[in-house]
Amino acid sequence: MHTKLTVPIAANDFDMAKEQIKAAKAAGAEILELRADYLENLTPILVKKIIAEIKNSAGRPLPLLVTCRDKQQGGIIGYPDRLRVDVLTAALKAGADFIDFEYEKFFSVENQERIKVALSQSSKAMLILSAHNFETKFDNIVKLHRHIGTLYSAAIPKLVYTANHINDCFDAFDLLHSTGGERIVFCMGSAGLVSRIIAKKLNSFLTFASVDDKTATAPGQLTVEQFKKLYRYDSTNADTELYGVIGSPVAHSLSPAVHNVCFAEAKVNKLYLPLLVEGGKDEFDRFMDNILAREWLGFAGFSVTIPHKQNALDYVREKHGFIEPLAEKIGAANTILSGADGQLAAYNTDYAGALDAITSTLGISRSDLNGLSVAVVGAGGVARAIVAGLTDAGAKICIYNRTVKKGQKLADEFGCDFAPLGDLSRLDAKLVINATSIGMHPDIDATPIPHWCLKKDMTVFDTVYNPAETLLLKQAKEAGAKTIDGLSMFIGQAAAQFKLFTGKKPDTELMRKTVASYDLLW
Ligand code: NAP
């Protein structure tokens, strides 16, 4: 049996519940969870009425779970235990397939007897015994799981806790991996999001999704649409190979959308995840150690973004993995491959993405870059990757940067010229590249290069891709110059990663369309 996408009905009254039932069914829910603790003026009769509505509603009949959560375990209205048990037993009589009750409250002989009697009168219904920790990890999740099993062996244990860091999720993964039968295990919070997505690969009995952000019942809950369209829910199974973007923040990364749509198009059983790794080198190393210690998780490759590109290179070096020579020269990796034998390889596709964006727009090959005069504005991570790639191709570069020391250092390292930003007024290069964040949302009225410096015979490349058409590019077009946008570079680096992940060339037009369909101005 595969993991069921469960959508909570979290309504204050009957009419609101009716609307939510309709929306949840239309969205593609596989189980409905009636959260009775959201209902005002709660009575067993009201719950029975809503269950009758669910049973009689149009569309496929769906299994029904009824929960009346204790306030201390995240319930909304603090109803007394006696009423909560009345509601659950009434729900069983009305045909609920599952009821969820807090395992700690199941110690009470009265609660336990009443629930067991009601269950014995229902031929198929099952009890979920749940434990939540909204603060942090459980002290010993394995013991807790065993404990719930001994309390009532027919129960489905549900263990849900807040992950304060992605490294906290591994307790949940280990429990799912080491136990059989039906159990529900995942983590709450933004650091736990990944556990909700791979619950299906690891065969958790269910995972929760809301219809929209307004009806989410827990922190970090995704929508049904995100599960199905963005995270390939319908095609995920135990054999799905995992990939992801490691960074902080990653919530707005376009990479999951771009890679997953191309995985689907290439018909490969792969899933790409946002992997929020907060902290520095120690946290990054611990995350990678955790992944590599669990081959069964099936991670095969990673994109790496701010602030971990250097950590990624160092990690692969420390593990004696392969490092692409230009990635070594740049001092940063944005891609890691992890072979079946645990062998690691580090690459940098940022420079390749930039070079491909330049050569394809100008209709030239990389060898034509030899001797080309280029001005690079900026001396940060992106500038470094571009300078490394362009010097390797033989271009003649002048670096302009606000912080003179930093710009001069980069220029010395790669044998380039350096000039302060003020010298941009005498700009005389064939290719001009903005590798600063100037012009990026929300500062869209800013530009790093005064418009009078832009000339007709120039090509102007802005690495900023949010917005796709920056003020710099608008003014370059007005001056009659050719332009290259940051999206071309983003897609170029993603395409090179996709090739490393799959051995296949992606449909870059599909990548561009996918990016365009997202609201870039978050
Ligand atoms: P970074 O390492 O932080 O470097 C930022 C650079 O911008 C530095 O040279 C900095 O100068 C300069 N800068 C920032 N604000 C400035 C200002 N107000 N005035 C003058 N100079 C300023 O960042 P990065 O990783 O290189 O990323 C730079 C930009 O590249 C990002 O903002 C993003 O838009 C773009 N990007 C594009 C792609 C793509 O695929 N298209 C990928 C990644 C990044 P100082 O040295 O003086 O601080």
Side-chain angles (χ1 to χ4, degrees), residues 86-269:
D86 285 347
V87 160
L88 296 182
T89 52
L92 287 173
K93 280 204 187 96
D97 303 272
F98 307 95
I99 56 165
D100 177 329
F101 195 61
E102 301 74 30
Y103 103 99
E104 281 180 346
K105 292 289 169 107
F106 201 66
F107 286 119
S108 144
V109 176
E110 189 194 342
N111 291 343
Q112 192 170 135
E113 280 312 308
R114 293 186 63 207
I115 288 174
K116 279 184 176 169
V117 168
L119 282 166
S120 69
Q121 290 163 355
S122 160
S123 57
K124 57 176 176 51
M126 292 184 80
L127 171 66
I128 294 171
L129 279 180
S130 59
H132 297 81
N133 188 335
F134 287 91
E135 302 292 318
T136 183
K137 301 200 304 178
F138 292 114
D139 285 341
N140 188 337
I141 197 170
V142 174
K143 205 165 145 195
L144 186 56
H145 174 264
R146 207 179 311 125
H147 197 171
I148 294 175
T150 48
L151 196 57
Y152 187 61
S153 61
I156 301 175
K158 177 184 175 201
L159 300 108
V160 179
Y161 62 89
T162 294
N164 292 308
H165 191 276
I166 197 166
N167 284 323
D168 290 346
C169 293
F170 291 93
D171 282 2
F173 300 159
D174 288 346
L175 186 65
L176 284 169
H177 180 63
S178 62
T179 54
E182 272 139 11
R183 65 270 184 267
I184 302 160
V185 191
F186 61 87
C187 302
M188 294 179 285
S190 48
L193 183 132
V194 62
S195 72
R196 293 178 180 272
I197 307 173
I198 62 170
K200 189 172 180 201
K201 176 182 163 77
L202 300 178
N203 201 24
S204 176
F205 179 64
L206 52 83
T207 188
F208 291 90
S210 57
V211 170
D212 51 40
D213 293 340
K214 288 198 300 286
T215 52
T217 52
Q221 207 170 75
L222 292 161
T223 64
V224 178
E225 191 180 10
Q226 285 170 321
F227 265 110
K228 289 188 172 246
K229 287 206 179 140
L230 183 55
Y231 296 120
R232 311 199 65 201
Y233 188 79
D234 292 327
S235 60
T236 299
N237 57 34
D239 299 328
T240 301
E241 205 168 55
L242 300 180
Y243 294 80
V245 52
I246 301 174
S248 178
V250 286
H252 291 119
S253 169
L254 297 168
S255 298
V258 162
H259 284 286
N260 281 329
V261 81
C262 290
F263 284 160
E265 208 246 356
K267 296 189 173 51
V268 290
N269 191 6

Side-chain angles (χ1 to χ4, degrees), residues 167-439:
N167 284 323
D168 290 346
C169 293
F170 291 93
D171 282 2
F173 300 159
D174 288 346
L175 186 65
L176 284 169
H177 180 63
S178 62
T179 54
E182 272 139 11
R183 65 270 184 267
I184 302 160
V185 191
F186 61 87
C187 302
M188 294 179 285
S190 48
L193 183 132
V194 62
S195 72
R196 293 178 180 272
I197 307 173
I198 62 170
K200 189 172 180 201
K201 176 182 163 77
L202 300 178
N203 201 24
S204 176
F205 179 64
L206 52 83
T207 188
F208 291 90
S210 57
V211 170
D212 51 40
D213 293 340
K214 288 198 300 286
T215 52
T217 52
Q221 207 170 75
L222 292 161
T223 64
V224 178
E225 191 180 10
Q226 285 170 321
F227 265 110
K228 289 188 172 246
K229 287 206 179 140
L230 183 55
Y231 296 120
R232 311 199 65 201
Y233 188 79
D234 292 327
S235 60
T236 299
N237 57 34
D239 299 328
T240 301
E241 205 168 55
L242 300 180
Y243 294 80
V245 52
I246 301 174
S248 178
V250 286
H252 291 119
S253 169
L254 297 168
S255 298
V258 162
H259 284 286
N260 281 329
V261 81
C262 290
F263 284 160
E265 208 246 356
K267 296 189 173 51
V268 290
N269 191 6
K270 297 177 191 288
L271 171 64
Y272 189 101
L273 305 158
L275 301 167
L276 174 67
V277 178
E278 290 165 303
K281 181 166 163 44
D282 284 353
E283 288 78 7
F284 177 88
D285 287 0
R286 212 167 311 132
F287 175 73
M288 289 304 295
D289 287 347
N290 273 323
I291 294 283
L292 295 182
R294 294 166 177 81
E295 204 188 309
W296 47 265
L297 272 174
F299 271 96
F302 305 89
S303 307
V304 186
T305 185
I306 289 170
H308 293 304
K309 289 186 185 185
Q310 199 179 325
N311 296 334
L313 190 78
D314 291 345
Y315 188 84
V316 173
R317 189 185 297 116
E318 283 157 23
K319 297 284 170 194
H320 308 291
F322 166 80
I323 298 176
E324 179 195 18
L326 259 183
E328 186 75 82
K329 211 166 167 192
I330 294 165
N334 77 335
T335 314
I336 298 178
L337 294 189
S338 167
D341 51 1
Q343 263 313 100
L344 298 177
Y347 301 85
N348 191 313
T349 68
D350 282 335
Y351 83 84
L355 261 51
D356 289 348
I358 296 165
T359 52
S360 64
T361 307
L362 298 182
I364 56 173
S365 68
R366 283 198 188 178
S367 60
D368 296 324
L369 295 169
N370 194 11
L372 186 74
S373 65
V374 184
V376 174
V377 187
V382 164
R384 198 177 162 80
I386 292 177
V387 166
L390 283 173
T391 43
D392 193 57
K396 279 177 60 211
I397 301 171
C398 182
I399 295 168
Y400 298 77
N401 197 47
R402 177 180 60 183
T403 307
V404 170
K405 214 169 144 195
K406 206 164 130 194
Q408 186 72 64
K409 188 166 175 274
L410 182 65
D412 290 348
E413 203 179 324
F414 287 92
C416 306
D417 291 331
F418 171 77
L421 286 184
D423 284 12
L424 281 169
S425 55
R426 293 196 296 276
L427 191 61
D428 188 27
K430 286 278 170 266
L431 174 62
V432 179
I433 303 175
N434 173 33
T436 74
S437 49
I438 302 170

Side-chain angles (χ1 to χ4, degrees), residues 428-431 454-459 479-482:
D428 188 27
K430 286 278 170 266
L431 174 62
L454 303 169
K455 298 184 194 110
K456 205 170 156 200
D457 64 345
M458 287 177 172
T459 297
K482 279 200 184 108

